Amino acid sequence: MTSRLGGSVFDGLKFRKVSSPIHNLDPRMKFVYVIAVFIAAILFGQIIPLVILFVMQVPFVLLARVQRQWVRSLRGALFLALFIFVINVAGNFFTQGFALTAKNWEDAGAMTLRFVVLVESFSVFFLTTSPDHLGLALETSHVPYEFSFAFTTAVRFVPVLAEEAQTIMDAQKARGLELEKGNFMKRIRNYIPILIPLIVSAIRRSLELAEAMESRAWGATKNRTNLYALKLRRGDYALLAIIVGLLAVTIYAFIFLQVPTVRSFLGFP
Amino acid sequence: MTLTVEDVHFSYQSGVKALKGVSLTVKDGEFVAVMGQNGAGKTTLVKQFNGLLKPTKGRVLVNGTDTTKTSVAAIAKTVGFVFQNPDHQLFSETVEEEIAFALRNFGYAADVIEKRVEWAVNLLGLSQYRKTSPFMLSGGERKRVALASVLAWDPQVLVLDEPTIGQDHQQKENLRQFIVQLQTQGKTVIIVTHDVEFVAECSPRVVLMREGKIVADGAGKDILTDEKVLAESSIVLPQVAQVFTYLNIPGFPKNVIDLYEAKQLLKKKLERN
């Protein structure tokens, strides 16, 4: 294993405190935007609108200046995307008379692209929304504070856990553990010496956190107030306009338009 | 068995440059303490010794073999590495299973494993805990189990990352005795530590690091009494050296860190008066 786990897989979840037009947007509005993209991606099963949806996210990424982390998280989804593509091609092949038609390829491509669009929009959301902001959004949406706190804590500890997993891997490798050795079952078993210390230390850490919180009078007052309040600003209204526009176009196109396919342009049946 | 580090640079994926041109040779049987502030690159340096981290520039040779040309598991057989926090490695149901883990990885025969485990638990006074879960033990005991689990395969070089953290005075003294014992067997011992007093008591060769570079390298009694170099690394003088600096007696050597040596000097001085 040459890649450093702490530095790659979980990078999409590691939040860096920066200020950009996208970071400063109201998290609730951003979430609604993600849901709107979601709906559009589910409604369209054709490549062309999905490509448009994909490209639509790029300005957000550039404005937020998170392109490096964004590309990395997409690269992380590559394997699963490939898997979805292969399964779809094979599935269509077996269910539709053992023939590989242009439609077959295009449908598989659309399914894969749909997955990529979902991943990218979520990754933009998480890359530009701080755990604090997220907790605040949950609270203002009347989620009980206990739950929103648990959620933000969980998000916050993911990178910590990833780093710890790396240290544990190093410690076991220093004792001669070779993760990549053996057949499939053996390889899975190779991870036991990593998972057990990781779980034990996570439980230990959670107990310590609980003690530390109680000693700082967590939950002493029933009526909490927040230092920062969420307020809709100009940018948020602009995003709202984009959301409404996106949904209107999507629903209109879904009901009234015949979405052209790539194969019709290329002259395939 | 020589460790050679040749102009090694190392950057983490995050872009942090942790080592900026480090060269070092550790000879067979040496006792080296790597010291320095947090973030000076100590742990990053020692992780190069068994190939857990590979240099981005320069090279590290373990007994002549480049660490980039071999696996961690292969180097680990000669360079044992005990991590700072035992909880990062303990996972077995019993202490003896924990100690046997590495031996199994290295492919020792069952009867050899049995003998080595026996030897290691006796060496570190863990024989009454053989069948106990390592998670039930105290912090100090867990640290000893971690040490035993590495010593079990008898590596020629032993790297200890912060071995004195969370240890009481008696445990530190035991650890010191233990290192002395390893030294008499001709083992190379490398410790990474902040603990000035512990280093003063052991008086090893000291390698002082700052901002990814080695800023001083030499005998413990010379470096730990060099006020200027230590101040730059935010390290305080060992207590004995502080007393000697404070007394400032004419004709006294400045480089004294050993309690016994200090006592002899003072005794001689008092007798003469």
Side-chain angles (χ1 to χ4, degrees):
Chain A
M1 187 139 214
T2 46
S3 74
R4 311 275 307 165
L5 191 75
S8 60
V9 182
F10 294 101
D11 246 31
L13 282 168
K14 206 183 271 177
F15 184 78
R16 288 165 191 81
K17 213 161 191 77
V18 273
S19 181
S20 82
I22 306 298
H23 285 83
N24 298 341
L25 286 174
D26 191 305
R28 293 168 295 180
M29 203 54 91
K30 268 190 278 185
F31 190 70
V32 175
Y33 174 74
V34 170
I35 297 295
V37 172
F38 234 88
I39 293 171
I42 300 291
L43 286 182
F44 289 119
Q46 298 85 354
I47 283 198
I48 292 169
L50 285 167
V51 169
I52 297 172
L53 277 174
F54 181 84
V55 174
M56 262 182 71
Q57 319 301 319
V58 176
F60 287 94
V61 176
L62 295 179
L63 266 177
R65 287 189 298 266
V66 289
Q67 46 274 32
R68 260 195 30 228
Q69 298 95 303
W70 181 71
V71 167
R72 213 175 282 162
S73 72
L74 279 188
R75 216 185 298 150
L78 195 68
F79 176 73
L80 214 53
L82 226 71
F83 183 72
I84 290 173
F85 187 75
V86 170
I87 288 286
N88 269 286
V89 168
N92 292 343
F93 178 73
F94 287 119
T95 53
Q96 288 160 13
F98 300 98
L100 281 173
T101 58
K103 180 181 182 317
N104 187 337
W105 288 109
E106 189 168 346
D107 286 351
M111 283 305 276
T112 312
L113 201 55
R114 181 185 276 169
F115 167 73
V116 172
V117 168
L118 299 186
V119 169
E120 80 162 339
S121 57
F122 253 109
S123 112
V124 176
F125 177 75
F126 280 110
L127 283 174
T128 61
T129 309
S130 75
D132 291 333
H133 250 161
L134 213 56
L136 215 51
L138 285 174
E139 256 183 272
T140 44
S141 315
H142 300 291
V143 174
Y145 182 57
E146 285 81 2
F147 291 102
S148 68
F149 184 84
F151 177 76
T152 46
T153 313
V155 170
R156 175 157 289 167
F157 274 98
V158 166
V160 178
L161 273 183
E163 213 172 296
E164 192 148 16
Q166 186 61 55
T167 310
I168 293 169
M169 261 189 209
D170 282 353
Q172 305 297 34
K173 277 201 283 190
R175 296 203 295 163
L177 176 70
E178 285 174 281
L179 290 169
E180 311 283 290
K181 210 167 118 183
N183 59 26
F184 185 67
M185 283 313 286
K186 175 78 170 62
R187 281 188 191 202
I188 290 177
R189 274 215 309 279
N190 283 347
Y191 277 87
I192 293 176
I194 290 163
L195 287 177
I196 292 179
L198 192 61
I199 294 167
V200 168
S201 93
I203 293 171
R204 202 169 275 169
R205 187 194 307 269
S206 72
L207 295 177
E208 279 166 13
L209 182 68
E211 277 177 6
M213 278 161 57
E214 279 187 76
S215 64
R216 289 167 67 180
W218 194 83
T221 61
K222 282 280 156 276
N223 302 317
R224 287 184 75 256
T225 53
N226 276 306
L227 183 57
Y228 303 103
L230 290 177
K231 212 173 141 251
L232 293 180
R233 275 179 271 252
R234 272 223 310 276
D236 298 309
Y237 290 111
L239 185 59
L240 182 63
I242 296 175
I243 293 168
V244 172
L246 174 66
L247 284 178
V249 170
T250 302
I251 292 165
Y252 179 80
F254 184 69
I255 298 174
F256 300 106
L257 289 184
Q258 171 75 38
V259 180
T261 57
V262 176
R263 61 182 180 278
S264 66
F265 286 119
L266 296 176
F268 284 106
Chain B
M1 187 43 252
T2 319
L3 272 175
T4 317
V5 178
E6 290 173 359
D7 190 35
V8 163
H9 292 251
F10 182 81
S11 317
Y12 284 100
Q13 259 196 0
S14 58
V16 177
K17 289 201 181 82
L19 297 179
K20 302 168 189 165
V22 172
S23 297
L24 179 73
T25 306
V26 179
K27 287 194 222 69
D28 204 11
E30 257 192 300
F31 178 18
V32 180
V34 181
M35 302 187 75
Q37 282 171 282
N38 287 331
K42 308 183 294 285
T43 301
T44 312
L45 174 64
V46 293
K47 277 188 177 173
Q48 310 276 343
F49 293 165
N50 66 349
L52 278 173
L53 299 177
K54 320 262 182 187
T56 33
K57 216 184 109 197
R59 53 182 197 158
V60 178
L61 302 175
V62 178
N63 220 6
T65 315
D66 194 325
T67 56
T68 53
K69 303 226 160 56
T70 175
S71 72
V72 177
I75 309 172
K77 244 178 152 173
T78 36
V79 182
F81 197 121
V82 184
F83 276 64
Q84 182 176 336
N85 187 348
D87 296 337
H88 283 152
Q89 66 161 71
L90 302 179
F91 74 99
S92 303
E93 278 174 57
T94 63
V95 167
E96 57 180 13
E97 279 299 308
E98 191 66 52
I99 297 170
F101 173 69
L103 300 170
R104 291 216 177 86
N105 286 334
F106 291 135
Y108 285 100
D111 56 323
V112 178
I113 292 179
E114 176 55 34
K115 262 185 229 150
R116 289 282 178 110
V117 171
E118 177 81 34
W119 175 78
V121 289
N122 287 334
L123 189 65
L124 286 152
L126 293 164
S127 35
Q128 72 269 41
Y129 300 126
R130 280 189 77 147
K131 302 282 180 198
T132 314
S133 160
F135 297 108
M136 303 300 287
L137 302 177
S138 73
E141 286 160 347
R142 286 208 294 273
K143 219 155 165 136
R144 259 149 62 208
V145 174
L147 184 57
S149 77
V150 172
L151 280 170
W153 75 84
D154 202 23
Q156 178 55 28
V157 179
L158 190 66
V159 181
L160 306 169
D161 193 357
E162 298 286 5
T164 59
I165 278 190
Q167 303 276 315
D168 62 30
H169 183 72
Q170 187 55 47
Q171 287 165 333
K172 278 192 203 176
E173 183 52 28
N174 291 345
L175 179 71
R176 196 178 71 81
Q177 298 285 352
F178 190 71
I179 293 174
V180 170
Q181 200 181 323
L182 288 172
Q183 284 278 286
T184 58
Q185 294 168 20
K187 305 279 182 203
T188 308
V189 180
I190 298 165
I191 61 172
V192 171
T193 186
H194 277 106
D195 196 333
V196 182
E197 295 305 327
F198 184 73
V199 176
E201 274 171 48
C202 301
S203 199
R205 169 182 169 192
V206 171
V207 171
L208 188 63
M209 294 189 72
R210 190 171 69 235
E211 290 165 10
K213 285 183 185 142
I214 293 177
V215 288
D217 183 353
K221 59 188 231 163
D222 293 329
I223 290 176
L224 292 184
T225 49
D226 188 333
E227 281 180 272
K228 191 169 161 284
V229 167
L230 289 186
E232 280 170 350
S233 293
S234 310
I235 294 177
V236 289
L237 287 170
Q239 287 173 1
V240 174
Q242 277 183 33
V243 171
F244 268 55
T245 314
Y246 179 72
L247 291 175
N248 198 16
I249 303 168
F252 260 37
K254 275 265 186 281
N255 60 348
V256 180
I257 51 172
D258 185 66
L259 193 59
Y260 183 76
E261 192 187 343
K263 185 181 153 194
Q264 295 302 318
L265 280 167
L266 286 172
K267 221 163 122 187
K268 225 189 274 170
K269 179 82 183 168
L270 289 172
E271 275 163 8
R272 223 180 293 147
N273 288 353

